[in-house]
Amino acid sequence: MTDPNRLRVPAAPRSADPAASRRAFLTGSLAAGGALVAAAAARASTGAGDPAILEIPDWTRYNGFGVDEYPYGVPSPYEAHVVRRNVPWLTAESVSSINFTPIHELDGIITPNGLCFERHHGGAAEIDPAQHRLMINGLVDKPLVFTMDDLKRFPRENHVYFLECAANTGMEWRGAQLNGAQYTHGMIHNVMYTGVKLKHLLDEAGVKTNGKWVMPEGADSAAMTRSIPIEKAMDDCLVAFKMNGEALRTEQGYPVRLVVPGWEGNMWVKWLRRLEVGDEPWHHREETSKYTDMLADGRSRRFTWEMDAKSVITSPSPQAPILHGKGPLVITGLAWSGRGTIPRVDVTIDGGKNWTEARMSGPSLDKSMHRFYLDIVWDGSPLLLQSRAHCSTGYVQPTKSELRAVRGENSIYHNNGIQTWYVNEQGVAENVEIS
Ligand SMILES: Nc1nc2c(c(=O)[nH]1)N[C@H]1C(S)=C(S)[C@@H](COP(=O)(O)O)O[C@H]1N2
Ligand SMILES: [Mo]
């Protein structure tokens, strides 16, 4: 374990929003933070004498802001700390970098668009949709070029899928590293996509019998390319233009991205401009070799595209300590599998001596995140928290040592081992490893 304070989250930045600063009378309580929350919870049990209930607050005395203050709504200024965060020392520059979804602050299964982690190799391209085209060429009967309007005339579908970068949890291969679920497990998001089945577009072009691979290419400066077997392309891949009902965000590939359900994020080419059909994959392309898992003997695993079942407790966790002391405690987390659904998650509070089946809540969708809860009464003694996902295929999430026994220590990608958080008597949590 490296210095647990290294990634301690800075205090919530004040809102830069002018409407909020006009209401400067609010800022006194804005700065209060966690201590106040804890105090308020303690008072709730006794009730009497709480000024917050006895006195009329300012927001009740005066009108709030009018309907046109925010033509596009933004979160409450009190939620200003709930943002994507970067780990500056991980990458050299922000255009070829990664940030992380604040999963420790979220609930349910849907990631809000503005909080979806970003991974770009050449920055986020800003594309005029009217000028954008998608071409299908290579081993097809009839090469085609689609405008965005053309794409929107094909039958559409809606699906909720998680996208996980293969490098998610990659820093944890050799031992506990980063102190927060956002950093250890935040290279993931889960949104509802609206798009057209890739199969419809390929059928329109007519794939020749020797067309075995589809090679998507992005319009960004990285011109990212990957190779996808034709079976997957014809199965459930989508050419998507909406996320959670609205247009894709620029950083998620506006105006159109490829969705490759259950498979590693690298294949989900953003700013999609071309799909070349070929008879063999683009092995020589840099990105294909980069995302290869190294085994202990130096050999590499090839074609490891599916994301195996995985889970993490999002709260309590290092960035989401227990602030209210002993008593009722909601333990919650996320589980997902690139091969199906998650019918069951087990949770332990004693480092694996006893496991309890968690309560699943919310939709259980194929290749989507699942939400689980374990509601306990905390006696204030230290906890060793772990969660273990069961995939609908029967596969069970392995421990980190089980994973290392098979994969060695030289990997970065596809780390789906069981995560442990140690919570002390004060409710402070940290990233540890116990097996
Ligand atoms: N065109 C293009 N597509 C891309 C990338 C890129 O750099 N350029 N990064 C890939 C990687 S490695 C991942 S993990 C996902 C990240 O998607 P997100 O930014 O929506 O989280 O996009 C993939 N698609
Ligand atoms: Mo990635």
Side-chain angles (χ1 to χ4, degrees):
M1 175 85 220
T2 52
D3 175 10
N5 292 314
R6 192 169 57 187
L7 282 173
R8 203 93 318 148
V9 179
R14 289 259 175 89
S15 171
D17 164 57
S21 47
R22 272 203 303 280
R23 287 169 188 80
F25 55 80
L26 281 181
T27 53
S29 48
L30 219 172
L36 219 177
V37 175
R43 268 200 307 273
S45 53
T46 59
D50 180 355
I53 191 70
L54 295 175
E55 289 161 23
I56 297 170
D58 282 339
W59 48 78
T60 307
R61 281 181 221 266
Y62 309 107
N63 286 335
F65 60 77
V67 288
D68 289 330
E69 186 91 26
Y70 300 100
Y72 192 105
V74 295
S76 159
Y78 297 97
E79 300 297 317
H81 58 290
V82 184
V83 288
R84 303 185 279 219
R85 287 177 198 277
N86 192 345
V87 176
W89 51 265
L90 273 184
T91 48
E93 43 178 3
S94 70
V95 290
S96 182
S97 190
I98 179 98
N99 60 20
F100 302 86
T101 306
I103 52 173
H104 62 293
E105 292 278 1
L106 303 180
D107 219 313
I109 64 165
I110 296 293
T111 315
N113 289 345
L115 295 177
C116 289
F117 87 96
E118 310 164 71
R119 173 77 176 109
H120 335 119
H121 295 77
E126 292 183 271
I127 294 178
D128 173 357
Q131 301 299 318
H132 188 70
R133 301 290 181 270
L134 171 59
M135 174 162 88
I136 299 187
N137 69 332
L139 299 175
V140 292
D141 298 333
K142 180 173 55 155
L144 293 173
V145 174
F146 302 94
T147 64
M148 287 307 297
D149 285 341
D150 294 337
L151 291 177
K152 290 176 180 172
R153 297 176 68 185
F154 284 85
R156 282 172 225 167
E157 293 188 11
N158 295 299
H159 295 274
V160 178
Y161 293 124
F162 75 83
L163 179 166
E164 184 182 16
C165 177
N168 198 21
T169 325
M171 295 299 110
E172 307 293 307
W173 261 107
R174 287 164 201 208
Q177 272 285 327
L178 302 177
N179 219 22
Q182 177 168 22
Y183 304 109
T184 56
H185 290 75
M187 290 187 201
I188 189 163
H189 51 65
N190 197 63
V191 306
M192 178 175 284
Y193 294 98
T194 305
V196 174
K197 272 251 164 97
L198 176 55
K199 180 184 190 315
H200 293 324
L201 305 182
L202 291 172
D203 284 346
E204 190 83 0
V207 174
K208 292 188 189 297
T209 47
N210 57 338
K212 296 293 175 220
W213 294 83
V214 174
M215 290 161 283
E217 182 182 87
D220 52 331
S221 78
M224 235 200 53
T225 48
R226 281 296 302 255
S227 308
I228 296 171
I230 193 76
E231 295 77 19
K232 179 68 174 174
M234 288 296 198
D235 178 18
D236 55 1
C237 289
L238 294 176
V239 170
F241 34 80
K242 297 269 166 90
M243 59 194 285
N244 291 333
E246 65 178 359
L248 294 178
R249 291 289 169 90
T250 303
E251 53 272 43
Q252 262 69 49
Y254 181 87
V256 63
R257 92 176 297 167
L258 194 64
V259 168
V260 190
W263 289 26
E264 60 188 31
N266 188 249
M267 306 178 100
W268 300 47
V269 172
K270 304 191 276 192
W271 312 290
L272 183 66
R273 118 177 120 192
R274 198 163 70 87
L275 293 155
E276 183 176 324
V277 179
D279 55 0
E280 58 172 59
W282 284 348
H283 289 311
H284 58 284
R285 295 292 170 120
E286 192 198 4
E287 283 309 321
T288 315
S289 54
K290 239 194 222 166
Y291 279 80
T292 298
D293 288 321
M294 298 304 293
L295 292 176
D297 61 6
R299 282 180 310 136
S300 57
R301 294 165 84 214
R302 275 184 63 203
F303 300 155
T304 49
W305 299 308
E306 270 126 331
M307 302 310 292
D308 282 313
K310 183 166 168 179
S311 68
V312 65
I313 290 174
T314 51
S315 178
S317 65
Q319 298 159 288
I322 306 173
L323 298 172
H324 53 57
K326 56 176 105 165
L329 171 67
V330 175
I331 299 171
T332 187
L334 293 164
W336 59 94
S337 167
R339 300 178 194 266
T341 60
I342 301 289
R344 174 177 152 194
V345 176
D346 306 318
V347 172
T348 177
I349 63 170
D350 57 15
K353 290 192 200 83
N354 300 284
W355 290 92
T356 307
E357 191 171 335
R359 178 170 60 86
M360 309 302 295
S361 176
S364 171
L365 302 168
D366 191 38
K367 304 177 178 70
S368 161
M369 280 183 174
H370 292 61
R371 173 62 60 177
F372 64 86
Y373 297 96
L374 187 69
D375 309 292
I376 67 164
V377 176
W378 184 41
D379 63 7
S381 56
L383 305 170
L384 277 172
L385 295 175
Q386 298 180 322
S387 61
R388 180 172 69 192
H390 295 248
C391 178
S392 52
T393 58
Y395 171 93
V396 180
Q397 184 183 1
T399 63
K400 286 193 186 179
S401 14
E402 284 167 350
L403 204 58
R404 285 196 196 102
V406 180
R407 304 261 300 279
E409 307 238 337
N410 294 330
S411 287
I412 292 176
Y413 302 112
H414 295 272
N415 179 357
N416 68 324
I418 289 174
Q419 173 67 42
T420 313
W421 306 127
Y422 170 75
V423 183
N424 72 12
E425 291 94 333
Q426 280 73 49
V428 174
E430 69 174 282
N431 183 3
V432 298
E433 212 176 281
I434 53 170
S435 64

